[in-house]
Amino acid sequence: MARIKRRVPMHSPRCFLSRVGLTSKPGLLPWCATKPPGWSQLFLGSACEGNFTGMIAKKRQRGQKSQKKPSHVGPLDGSWQERLADVVTPLWRLSYEEQLKVKFEAQKKILQRLESYLQKLNGVNVTTSASRAEGLSCLLHPIIPSPVINGYRNKSTFSVNRGPDGNPKTVGYYLGTWRDRSIVCVWSNHLKNIPEKHNQVAQYYEVFLRQSPMEPCLLFHEGGYWRELIVRTNSRGHMMAIITFHPQELRQEELSVQKEAVKKFFTSGPGAVCDLTSLYFQESTMMHCSHQQSPYQLLFGEPHLYEDLLGLKIRISPDAFFQINTAGAEVLYRTVGELSGVNSNTILLDICCGTGVIGLSLAQYASQVLGIELVEQAVQNARTAAFNGITNCEFHAGRAEKILPQLLKSKEDGQFIVAVVNPARAGLHYQVVQAIRNCRAIRTLIFVSCKPHGETTRNIIELCCPPDSAKKLLGEPFVLRKAVSVDLFPHTLDCELVLLLAR
């Protein structure tokens, strides 16, 4: 290995792979190809439907028999990299100004569809009475652009599977569908939203895998060990890597050998050039494991990353939620603060609070901040408010549907509450919706969603519908007042939509 290190420049993983004979054969990766036909019509026609699976693969026609495809066969036309970019970052061919126009129209149609649902409900004034522009009753503000357009992701997840050449120890992003057995793992170094440092760690992880005698775990029932890689960074350039490993039937001493091997590779081996701040190892027998289910094991380095955001020092643990665009998150949280109208007479209730950034950033304006979050490590991070000299914050770990009703009962003494919800894509639990709706002290609600359709639509309808005793929605309905879109995801179809609901 020492001889290889002298001859091969370590800043070039591809060169290293080539020298040790681990790359694809020439000509198997057609990097240059033409634009897939009809692409603009494809994503423009699908942008508002909430179903983008057609961008990955055409649905099989009815009655057509499924044919097993070789596992290394991916899309047959266009380059692997361009086709991956079309799936992961479908707006990458457009200028950023054009991207914002596409997103604004998509957000407008989502709101129009939402308002049409609300207006069908009988006997309730679901929107403001004044007619607004853009064919909407609520006030839709112009979309706020991201301060950073390229390489903005502070967290990237890389999969391990067969590459275009059939090598199962390829690290990258998936292209194709499991149903059609056409999954191909493609290098992501051309994707505009992923930082170069993330790709570098992924490429060196691939170098490690191809040297390791242990097979990757592609499908659980087929065995194998090495699984996905997660890379997290902060604005200071510090970097955390998390490697997932299926232990199968290995004994603890055998697991220790593998942990030591990957640790050595990234500390004193070829991977040292990545300059990781910390490396974690997680033994996982499921698709996704929380820290409680299978603890993250620190192999070396600092246990946390720290991010400077809105004048705060935020602690980030391996599985804590944190907005993937740090500069964009500052814009988003300022927008939430402006819409909330929090003041010294207000209790701020931050539901699905993650690391507590929204509550911590507004604590100086509120009388008290109450946060609820499912992930225990994220709550521990939020409780580091002492770092910032904040004393009026209280964070609770657990399911919001269990904690919120009891928490609100203790606040029904005339205090004014502003609630902020930023749920996962599955939306809010119906008991959380009931608790918010039935708490008279909550007069203002800020709803933040990066997928404002599906469950989010159902949540908002239940918050704004007439009282319904059968659903235990007894409180006065909310009214949709304003909507602001904040772009945290350049080159993709996603956008954060911030809704102001009041009553």
Side-chain angles (χ1 to χ4, degrees):
M1 181 59 65
R3 187 163 61 93
I4 293 175
K5 286 176 67 177
R6 286 196 303 269
R7 297 180 56 188
V8 181
M10 287 296 100
H11 63 274
S12 175
R14 290 184 182 175
C15 183
F16 180 89
L17 283 166
S18 177
R19 295 289 182 88
V20 296
L22 299 175
T23 52
S24 310
K25 295 180 180 179
L28 284 178
L29 301 181
W31 303 125
C32 299
T34 57
K35 174 181 175 181
W39 173 248
S40 60
Q41 290 82 1
L42 175 63
F43 74 74
L44 285 172
S46 305
C48 301
E49 296 300 323
N51 181 3
F52 310 126
T53 56
M55 298 176 185
I56 303 175
K58 293 182 179 178
K59 291 184 178 180
R60 185 184 296 113
Q61 295 180 355
R62 289 185 179 180
Q64 180 179 345
K65 293 183 179 180
S66 174
Q67 296 180 351
K68 185 174 181 180
K69 302 178 182 179
S71 58
H72 64 277
V73 174
L76 300 178
D77 63 322
S79 76
W80 299 111
Q81 293 202 340
E82 283 195 349
R83 291 181 66 86
L84 180 63
D86 287 338
V87 173
V88 178
T89 52
L91 303 183
W92 70 280
R93 300 178 188 275
L94 302 179
S95 69
Y96 190 51
E97 288 185 0
E98 291 174 315
Q99 291 183 32
L100 293 179
K101 291 177 182 178
V102 171
K103 293 189 179 191
F104 182 81
E105 290 301 315
Q107 299 294 298
K108 184 175 73 173
K109 289 186 178 181
I110 288 170
L111 286 171
Q112 289 172 337
R113 188 165 62 244
L114 177 61
E115 284 193 346
S116 72
Y117 285 137
L118 296 175
Q119 289 165 353
K120 289 178 183 178
L121 300 176
N122 185 31
V124 59
N125 178 23
V126 294
T127 58
T128 52
S129 58
S131 178
R132 301 288 186 184
E134 308 295 347
L136 293 168
S137 297
C138 73
L139 178 61
L140 174 60
H141 290 262
I143 190 168
I144 302 176
S146 171
V148 180
I149 299 174
N150 295 322
Y152 56 83
R153 292 190 65 95
N154 55 41
K155 179 183 178 182
S156 300
T157 302
F158 300 94
S159 300
V160 178
N161 214 297
R162 291 180 175 85
D165 62 347
N167 193 320
K169 292 184 175 182
T170 301
V171 179
Y173 275 51
Y174 284 155
L175 184 61
T177 64
W178 288 106
R179 183 189 64 185
D180 294 333
R181 302 182 182 182
S182 61
I183 288 293
V184 180
C185 198
V186 181
W187 283 356
S188 59
N189 57 319
H190 60 293
L191 296 178
K192 291 187 174 183
N193 60 345
I194 299 182
E196 182 179 343
K197 293 183 70 174
H198 289 199
N199 285 316
Q200 183 188 45
V201 179
Q203 289 171 0
Y204 274 100
Y205 182 46
E206 182 176 293
V207 171
F208 170 78
L209 293 185
R210 295 187 180 191
Q211 293 177 343
S212 172
M214 310 296 284
E215 293 300 316
C217 179
L218 307 186
L219 295 172
F220 284 7
H221 67 275
E222 294 182 355
Y225 304 93
W226 298 108
R227 293 181 54 205
E228 69 181 20
L229 164 75
I230 298 173
V231 183
R232 306 191 73 153
T233 47
N234 63 11
S235 55
R236 298 180 183 180
H238 300 157
M239 190 155 45
M240 174 191 294
I242 305 125
I243 291 174
T244 309
F245 186 92
H246 196 306
Q248 303 295 350
E249 302 298 327
L250 293 181
R251 301 187 301 273
Q252 280 302 315
E253 52 268 32
E254 294 173 311
L255 284 168
S256 297
V257 170
Q258 300 310 312
K259 288 187 279 188
E260 183 61 29
V262 71
K263 173 183 174 181
K264 183 176 180 181
F265 180 87
F266 280 104
T267 53
S268 58
V273 70
C274 298
D275 194 25
L276 294 179
T277 306
S278 58
L279 176 64
Y280 275 94
F281 184 92
Q282 186 186 40
E283 301 167 27
S284 175
T285 59
M286 298 182 287
M287 286 297 295
H288 299 286
C289 280
S290 67
H291 178 72
Q292 287 73 26
Q293 293 169 321
S294 181
Y296 292 94
Q297 303 170 47
L298 181 64
L299 299 187
F300 73 83
E302 299 296 325
H304 306 98
L305 292 179
Y306 290 90
E307 186 60 87
D308 299 314
L309 193 74
L310 297 174
L312 301 170
K313 185 178 182 181
I314 307 299
R315 194 176 80 176
I316 303 172
S317 54
D319 64 344
F321 171 78
F322 190 77
Q323 289 288 354
I324 58 99
N325 181 340
T326 304
E330 289 197 328
V331 177
L332 174 66
Y333 296 146
R334 286 195 187 100
T335 301
V336 170
E338 291 170 1
L339 290 177
S340 70
V342 170
N343 57 48
S344 58
N345 298 318
T346 301
I347 294 175
L348 177 64
L349 179 60
D350 190 359
I351 305 171
C352 310
C353 68
T355 53
V357 179
I358 292 177
L360 293 172
S361 65
L362 296 177
Q364 60 181 313
Y365 307 110
S367 64
Q368 186 182 17
V369 173
L370 301 173
I372 303 174
E373 169 58 37
L374 175 63
V375 179
E376 173 68 34
Q377 278 196 312
V379 173
Q380 292 177 6
N381 295 334
R383 287 171 178 163
T384 60
F387 287 157
N388 303 289
I390 298 173
T391 58
N392 63 338
C393 292
E394 182 181 305
F395 294 97
H396 301 263
R399 295 188 176 277
E401 61 268 23
K402 301 296 183 183
I403 296 173
L404 184 59
Q406 296 300 319
L407 194 61
L408 290 177
K409 281 183 181 180
S410 65
K411 302 299 177 183
E412 289 280 10
D413 55 0
Q415 294 175 293
F416 183 71
I417 299 177
V418 172
V420 176
V421 295
N422 185 12
R425 295 182 180 184
L428 294 172
H429 192 278
Y430 75 94
Q431 290 180 341
V432 175
V433 175
Q434 289 175 353
I436 293 173
R437 177 71 185 264
N438 298 335
C439 178
R440 291 175 296 176
I442 300 177
R443 309 302 299 176
T444 300
L445 173 64
I446 307 296
F447 201 115
V448 184
S449 176
C450 66
K451 291 286 185 183
H453 42 68
E455 290 303 304
T456 296
T457 298
R458 178 184 61 81
N459 290 158
I460 295 172
I461 289 173
E462 290 173 343
L463 290 164
C464 298
C465 70
D468 186 335
S469 57
K471 294 183 178 180
K472 299 181 181 179
L473 301 173
L474 308 178
E476 179 185 355
F478 286 90
V479 177
L480 178 58
R481 299 290 187 185
K482 292 181 182 180
V484 182
S485 297
V486 183
D487 185 21
L488 265 66
F489 318 101
H491 311 299
T492 77
L493 291 159
D494 294 329
C495 194
E496 292 282 356
L497 183 62
V498 185
L499 300 176
L500 168 62
L501 296 94
R503 60 181 177 179

